[in-house]
């Protein structure tokens, strides 16, 4: 009976049944996949919400902590007002008495006073013109000035007004009847730096500067005047480094940082990053949240050593490791050497190349020593190469044995002069291939111009003044740094013949040598 029933079921029905089962299976599979996708999607949304919620909680905690700190600071400021007023009144009486005594003793002492005593006497008498002239005259004693100026300024009845009167005669423009031929920006920066500890509140430090409202408003007027002049004279690219530095230090010293000017501050810091104090000024200007952008821009512009200094100042050396930046600096220099060798083959550039190569090595060594990187980047290879260059320089100075040495030597670099009539010969390759360089060369950066002054000012005689009133020697094509505008030379000119960069042997971790084609000659810091 069963076999008859089975035989009675048509095969088409069986096939339809299996087809239906297959459809059900596909539907179940599709539903399963869809459910998995939806489950994963909602899990992702849930994780994203948790992350955002955690970030919001963290921000709220940070804001709560910042609010508590601010309220605590306000409470301390309020409680310290009476004490600060009493202290200011007592200091005012002391300074008034000191001023009277200084006036009485000035005639008797005459010129017998030393520099510290002269500075204090001028400060107690509030003789800001004589004070500024004395600082300028004692440029060679800049380290003594650095230590004595804060002490002397503390004897002023109103230190902030005194300094404002002292620098306003020459900044932002020289308003004096007899104008100085030299750049006096170094003196303005030094005086403004020395005023910072004098204005610090005894209780709150630099968080509250003891500056009168009148003086602060006058500082703002000077800052606005400088910014207007900056726009009229072509922007950041055409300003003098000393003027830009003075402006930034003025803003920091008198506590007149403006949020709307943060972009300008950043451009100035990047444009003149080679100045020693720029990393600290960047922090004081409230650019902490922009430090990563500043460092990345410096790296992209080929200023790796500046980037290392900024990274250490901001505590970002872990994110921007210094050793890879040093290696990149040397590698880029080697590439530029090959390019320069192909373009400049005249023998008269050899001495310039040697000096510039020594400057690069000293800059790298100084950077390694300052940041204590000897364990990660050994100095043996660099020091050996430096010794080879010194030896080669000595050997080049010896006259050849084949005949008398050529007496026509170039005074600026020790290289041989071309023949007397070479200037009239159009076929002379060494003469005709070196046209006069322009006063400015655009920086690789789209918005900043870098002066030919040394970004890494380490290569100079020890006796040189720290606050130079001139720009270091101008470097031309391969450097991409323009000469500093308006700075006066100190009794010497710096001719800049085109440079050639011979390739030299390998050293230090297989980097295969480097040159200074992208880096200016390094001279002593303008300030420390």
């Amino acid at each position: 009976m069963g076999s008859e029933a089975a035989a009675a079921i048509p095969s088409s029905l069986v096939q339809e049944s299996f087809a239906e089962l297959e459809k059900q299976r596909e539907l179940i599979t599709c539903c399963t996949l869809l459910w998995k996708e939806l489950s994963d999607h909602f899990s992702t949304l849930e994780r994203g919400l948790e992350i955002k919620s955690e970030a919001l909680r963290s921000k709220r905690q940070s804001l709560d902590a910042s609010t508590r700190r601010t309220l605590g600071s306000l409470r301390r400021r309020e409680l310290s007002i009476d004490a600060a007023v009493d202290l200011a009144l007592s200091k005012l009486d002391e300074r008034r008495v000191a001023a009277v005594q200084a006036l009485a003793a000035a005639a008797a002492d005459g010129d017998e006073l030393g520099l510290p005593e002269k500075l204090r006497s001028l400060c107690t008498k509030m003789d800001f013109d004589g004070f500024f002239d004395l600082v300028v005259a004692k440029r060679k004693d800049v380290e003594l000035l650095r230590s004595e100026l804060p002490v002397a300024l503390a004897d002023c009845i109103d230190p902030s007004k005194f300094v404002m009167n002292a620098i306003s005669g020459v900044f932002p423009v020289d308003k004096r009847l007899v104008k100085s031929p030299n750049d006096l920006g170094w003196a303005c920066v030094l005086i403004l730096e020395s005023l910072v500890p004098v204005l610090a509140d005894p209780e709150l430090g630099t968080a509250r500067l003891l500056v009168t409202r009148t003086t602060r408003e006058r500082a703002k007027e000077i800052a606005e005047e400088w910014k207007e002049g900056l726009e009229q004279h072509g922007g950041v690219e055409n300003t003098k480094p000393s003027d830009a530095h003075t402006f930034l230090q003025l803003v920091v010293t008198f506590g007149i940082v403006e949020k709307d000017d943060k972009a300008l501050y950043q451009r100035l810091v990047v444009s003149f990053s080679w100045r020693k104090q720029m990393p600290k000024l960047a922090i004081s200007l409230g650019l902490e949240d922009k430090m990563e952008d500043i460092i990345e821009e410096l790296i992209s512009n080929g200023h790796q050593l500046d980037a290392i200094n900024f990274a250490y100042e901001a505590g970002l050396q872990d994110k921007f490791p210094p050793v890879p930046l040093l290696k990149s600096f040397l590698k880029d220099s080697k590439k530029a050497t090959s390019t320069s060798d192909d373009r400049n083959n005249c023998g008269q550039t050899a001495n310039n190349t040697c000096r510039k190569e020594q400057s690069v090595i000293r800059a790298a060594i100084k950077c390694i020593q300052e940041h204590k990187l000897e364990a990660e980047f050994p100095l043996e290879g660099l020091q050996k190469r430096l010794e080879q260059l010194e030896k080669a320089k000595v050997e080049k100075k010896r006259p050849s044995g084949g005949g008398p040495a050529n007496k026509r030597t170039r005074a600026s670099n020790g290289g041989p002069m071309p023949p007397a009539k070479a200037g009239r010969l159009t076929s002379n390759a060494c003469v005709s291939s070196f046209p006069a360089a322009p006063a400015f060369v655009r920086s690789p950066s789209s918005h900043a111009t870098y002066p030919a002054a040394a970004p890494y000012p380490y290569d100079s005689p020890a006796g040189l003044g720290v606050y130079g009133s001139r720009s270091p020697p101008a470097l031309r094509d391969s450097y991409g740094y323009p000469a500093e505008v308006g700075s006066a030379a100190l009794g010497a000119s710096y001719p800049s013949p085109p440079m050639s960069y011979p390739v030299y042997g390998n050293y230090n971790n297989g980097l295969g040598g480097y040159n200074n084609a992208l880096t200016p000659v390094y001279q002593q810091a303008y300030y420390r």
Side-chain angles (χ1 to χ4, degrees), residues 117-405:
E117 291 76 16
K118 287 182 180 179
L119 290 172
R120 296 187 68 177
S121 175
L122 292 169
C123 288
T124 53
K125 292 185 293 185
M126 294 293 286
D127 184 359
F128 49 85
D129 285 334
F131 172 82
F132 190 85
D133 291 340
L134 179 60
V135 171
V136 172
K138 296 297 182 179
R139 179 187 167 205
K140 293 183 179 179
D141 301 322
V142 66
E143 293 303 329
L144 180 60
L145 286 172
R146 194 186 309 283
S147 61
E148 294 296 335
L149 281 177
V151 179
L153 290 173
D155 289 339
C156 292
I157 295 177
D158 189 346
S160 60
K161 181 179 180 180
F162 179 82
V163 169
M164 182 61 62
N165 290 334
I167 69 170
S168 61
V170 297
F171 182 83
V173 294
D174 196 341
K175 306 180 184 69
R176 299 180 301 177
L177 296 177
V178 180
K179 295 179 173 56
S180 173
N182 298 326
D183 184 4
L184 302 180
W186 68 271
C188 295
V189 172
L190 179 59
I191 294 171
L192 288 169
E193 286 181 339
S194 302
L195 182 62
V196 173
V198 179
L199 297 182
D201 186 270
E203 296 289 335
L204 304 177
T206 56
R208 180 171 66 187
L209 299 174
L210 301 179
V211 182
T212 62
R213 183 176 300 175
T214 303
T215 303
R216 193 186 299 272
E217 291 299 323
R218 188 178 176 192
K220 288 182 178 179
E221 292 175 1
I222 290 179
E224 290 297 327
E225 182 181 353
W226 186 84
K227 288 190 291 184
E228 292 175 0
L230 179 69
E231 296 176 357
Q232 295 172 1
H233 293 87
V236 174
E237 291 80 4
N238 295 323
T239 189
K240 292 193 295 185
S242 58
D243 284 352
H245 188 181
T246 302
F247 166 73
L248 294 178
Q249 189 63 56
L250 173 78
V251 169
V252 170
T253 299
F254 291 97
I256 54 174
V257 176
E258 297 288 346
K259 292 183 178 179
D260 295 339
D261 290 336
K262 290 291 183 69
L264 174 61
Y265 301 155
Q266 183 173 344
R267 289 184 63 195
L268 291 172
V269 165
V270 172
S271 297
F272 306 106
S273 60
W274 46 271
R275 290 210 160 211
K276 193 72 174 179
Q277 285 288 68
M278 280 300 164
K280 290 184 179 179
L281 279 177
I283 298 296
S284 301
L285 290 165
L287 298 177
E288 299 95 333
D289 57 337
K290 299 292 183 180
M291 289 298 279
E292 292 187 15
D293 296 336
I294 292 174
I295 295 170
E296 289 174 354
E297 184 172 355
L298 291 174
I299 294 172
S300 65
N301 290 339
H303 306 138
Q304 291 93 337
L305 297 190
D306 290 340
I308 292 173
N309 294 331
F310 275 78
Y312 271 91
E313 186 64 35
L316 297 173
Q317 61 269 29
D318 292 335
K319 185 169 184 178
F320 299 95
V323 173
L325 290 177
L326 280 166
K327 293 182 178 180
S328 174
F329 168 70
L330 300 177
K331 184 178 179 181
D332 291 347
S333 298
K334 180 182 177 183
K335 289 181 180 178
T337 298
S338 303
T339 304
S340 180
D341 283 341
D342 294 338
R343 186 172 62 247
N344 300 316
N345 293 314
C346 292
Q348 65 181 1
T349 63
N351 289 335
N352 293 325
T353 301
C354 182
R355 285 202 307 271
K356 292 167 68 176
E357 184 179 337
Q358 289 174 315
S359 297
V360 173
I361 295 175
R362 292 191 181 106
I365 291 176
K366 184 67 174 178
C367 181
I368 293 169
Q369 291 175 340
E370 280 189 348
H371 302 300
K372 297 178 174 57
L373 300 172
E374 293 87 346
E376 302 175 62
F377 199 108
L379 296 176
E380 288 77 6
L382 294 172
Q383 291 172 342
K384 183 177 180 180
R385 178 58 185 165
L386 192 59
E387 293 173 359
Q388 291 174 351
L389 291 171
E390 290 288 350
K391 184 178 179 181
K393 186 194 297 186
V394 173
E395 291 178 350
K396 287 179 181 179
K397 290 181 180 178
R398 297 175 183 172
S400 61

